[in-house]
Amino acid sequence: MPPQYLCPMTEPIIDPFQRAISYLRLSVTDRCDFRCVYCMAENMTFLPKKELLTLEELDRMCSTFIRLGVEKLRITGGEPLVRRDIMTFFHGMRRHLYSGALKELTLTTNGSQLERFAADLAAAGVRRVNVSLDTLDEEKFARVTRWGRLPQVLRGLDAAQAAGLKVKLNAVALKGFNEDEIFTLAEFCAARDMDLTWIEVMPMGDLGNEDRVGQYWSLNDLRAKLAETYRLTDLPENTGGPARYVRIEETGQKIGFITPLSHNFCESCNRVRMTCTGELYMCLGQEDRADLRPALRNHPGNDAPLEEAIRAAIGLKPEGHDFDYSRQRADGQVSRHMSHTGG
Ligand SMILES: Nc1nc2c(ncn2[C@@H]2O[C@H](COP(=O)(O)OP(=O)(O)OP(=O)(O)O)[C@@H](O)[C@H]2O)c(=O)[nH]1
Ligand SMILES: C[S@@+](CC[C@H](N)C(=O)[O-])C[C@H]1O[C@@H](n2cnc3c(N)ncnc32)[C@H](O)[C@@H]1O
Ligand code: SF4
Ligand code: SF4
């Protein structure tokens, strides 16, 4: 039997494994202007737009989570910046930053729309963005994203930095694809004062013809390759996020490793994820979820049922994921696509 959760309103909710849940990742759309080969199939069926929570509903959901102790809100997708009028939502969240209840409002993006939106994001109180970029080669970029164009993303990075946003690059490590770019990407980031985090590819969703097992490249191997050239020093574990960091002594640069497969970090998990239809997923690597929409829609003007539904859902958060490439399944071990919850 999970314990009861009677927390003071401003303290984060504690899950069954004594982890405080202070971080909400919100997917505001399942659509995207790219079709990355490890994330989506080329032909995707998206939700009808009428299924999505409205911007007002997203605001009410997030405000309720913030009242329940969420201090960090990351907007993701699909591609969050392709949702129409999404800046209205960002500007609405600024009031929680001003009140001090929300410590960080941020987003993870493919960068394609940053040239257009970076200044407005900064005006809404966003201080840093994570941009996904797996290669600096134009032809490879077009191949891995299927629909993306590298120059557009590079202009987005420039716009973000010009707007004063701190930028972190996320690169998914893909066997036989970007193994040869670990030094170029490190140098690119060092020259632009951007952090870089590598991510192990996770077996989620049906990708059409892509080979999941063949894509996987352990970050232990990537790290060993870096260490052949650089002296790496492990930095103290940061319990606020999934990445472990090393410093490159020769350049002072920090490199992060997100290793759900080779070294899982579930013990310090502090997060839950909500989809654009109001489903709360308790773990990225599991199917457990709760539909918060009825509590939201059936009780206009009364947030108590929604608060109760959120507490009950977090009371069911599992201990961790079950991803495992040793089972040699090329299909996703979690059936939904990464874009459903936004990573
Ligand atoms: N397995 C697992 N992977 C995660 C988790 N959080 C993030 N990731 C992976 O890391 C990727 C990058 O995450 P980001 O969106 O940049 O967020 P973050 O690393 O939490 O961001 P920071 O605030 O910069 O630490 C995600 O898309 C996932 O692939 C998690 O809780 N579990
Ligand atoms: C799903 S995307 C959503 C936000 C935005 N479209 C972007 O690409 O940054 C969030 C992150 O998930 C990562 N991702 C997608 N599929 C993945 C997979 N199968 N394994 C690991 N990371 C994945 C992407 O590289 C990206 O950094
Ligand atoms: S990783 Fe991001 S940019 Fe790529 S297809 Fe998925 S949602 Fe779109
Ligand atoms: S896999 Fe699940 S439990 Fe582990 S860190 Fe990610 S969300 Fe948390």
Side-chain angles (χ1 to χ4, degrees):
M1 259 278 282
Q4 294 296 304
Y5 305 99
L6 297 170
C7 305
M9 294 296 271
T10 50
E11 290 297 316
I13 301 173
I14 306 297
D15 84 352
F17 302 92
Q18 303 310 312
R19 300 170 296 194
I21 305 305
S22 57
Y23 179 5
L24 175 67
R25 296 173 67 98
L26 170 65
S27 169
V28 293
T29 176
D30 61 336
R31 291 166 196 253
C32 187
D33 50 350
F34 291 2
R35 290 288 181 280
C36 301
V37 295
Y38 46 77
C39 179
M40 292 190 179
E42 185 147 25
N43 295 311
M44 296 283 292
T45 307
F46 294 114
L47 294 161
K49 286 196 177 146
K50 62 178 173 15
E51 295 268 313
L52 270 57
L53 297 186
T54 63
L55 294 178
E56 293 74 18
E57 287 174 327
L58 290 176
D59 186 308
R60 191 175 152 209
M61 283 283 196
C62 291
S63 301
T64 306
F65 274 98
I66 291 165
R67 242 187 350 268
L68 292 174
V70 160
E71 295 181 337
K72 175 168 169 178
L73 180 58
R74 177 176 294 282
I75 309 307
T76 171
E79 174 46 43
L81 296 178
V82 302
R83 173 138 183 192
R84 187 197 289 253
D85 294 334
I86 193 62
M87 289 314 304
T88 308
F89 169 82
F90 276 101
H91 281 284
M93 286 297 106
R94 193 173 40 179
R95 70 187 187 280
H96 296 300
L97 290 170
Y98 283 157
S99 78
L102 186 62
K103 303 280 187 285
E104 185 172 36
L105 171 63
T106 182
L107 74 156
T108 299
T109 171
N110 64 24
S112 68
Q113 308 300 316
L114 274 178
E115 193 176 18
R116 182 168 164 213
F117 290 118
D120 210 4
L121 286 166
V126 172
R127 294 289 163 260
R128 63 186 190 108
V129 291
N130 292 355
V131 180
S132 306
L133 182 58
D134 307 318
T135 172
L136 292 169
D137 178 288
E138 263 189 70
E139 182 276 321
K140 281 164 76 180
F141 185 85
R143 199 156 22 107
V144 76
T145 61
R146 291 197 184 101
W147 296 2
R149 295 292 168 262
L150 181 63
Q152 188 183 355
V153 173
L154 297 181
R155 287 197 304 273
L157 291 178
D158 289 343
Q161 293 196 296
L165 299 175
K166 179 95 184 118
V167 178
K168 183 176 90 172
L169 281 201
N170 281 336
V172 176
L174 298 167
K175 204 179 195 69
F177 178 75
N178 53 13
E179 282 165 302
D180 57 342
E181 289 194 71
I182 59 175
F183 297 105
T184 9
L185 273 164
E187 282 154 21
F188 176 82
C189 290
R192 285 165 183 73
D193 191 26
M194 301 188 300
D195 286 337
L196 170 63
T197 296
W198 285 95
I199 306 169
E200 281 177 345
V201 69
M202 288 172 250
M204 296 181 66
D206 179 359
L207 299 181
N209 296 326
E210 295 295 327
D211 167 19
R212 276 287 180 206
V213 177
Q215 287 179 340
Y216 176 63
W217 179 29
S218 159
L219 294 189
N220 290 331
D221 296 348
L222 188 154
R223 187 195 155 119
K225 209 165 157 185
L226 269 183
E228 286 170 13
T229 300
Y230 292 130
R231 277 181 301 124
L232 306 179
T233 305
D234 284 302
L235 296 177
E237 298 246 339
N238 167 12
T239 52
R244 286 176 302 144
Y245 290 93
V246 296
R247 186 176 51 241
I248 298 183
E249 291 303 340
E250 286 80 353
T251 62
Q253 193 188 4
K254 220 170 81 171
I255 307 248
F257 299 100
I258 298 187
T259 54
L261 283 300
S262 62
H263 174 102
N264 106 27
F265 38 78
C266 302
E267 204 174 287
S268 58
C269 185
N270 60 356
R271 58 200 62 193
V272 287
R273 298 168 160 80
M274 196 171 78
T275 68
C276 55
T277 59
E279 281 193 307
L280 191 68
Y281 277 82
M282 264 53 75
C283 174
L284 183 64
Q286 299 280 2
E287 303 286 8
D288 309 61
R289 61 187 181 275
D291 186 0
L292 299 180
R293 214 164 26 172
L296 179 87
R297 290 196 170 158
N298 298 342
H299 305 275
N302 174 13
D303 288 337
L306 181 57
E307 289 180 6
E308 205 35 59
I310 293 170
R311 281 202 181 86
I314 292 177
L316 299 173
K317 186 169 161 67
E319 192 169 10
H321 68 75
D322 292 324
F323 293 136
D324 177 8
Y325 281 108
S326 65
R327 281 185 268 154
Q328 292 295 311
R329 283 174 43 178
D331 57 336
Q333 288 169 12
V334 167
S335 61
R336 67 180 188 275
H337 289 92
M338 188 66 102
S339 51
H340 192 64
T341 51

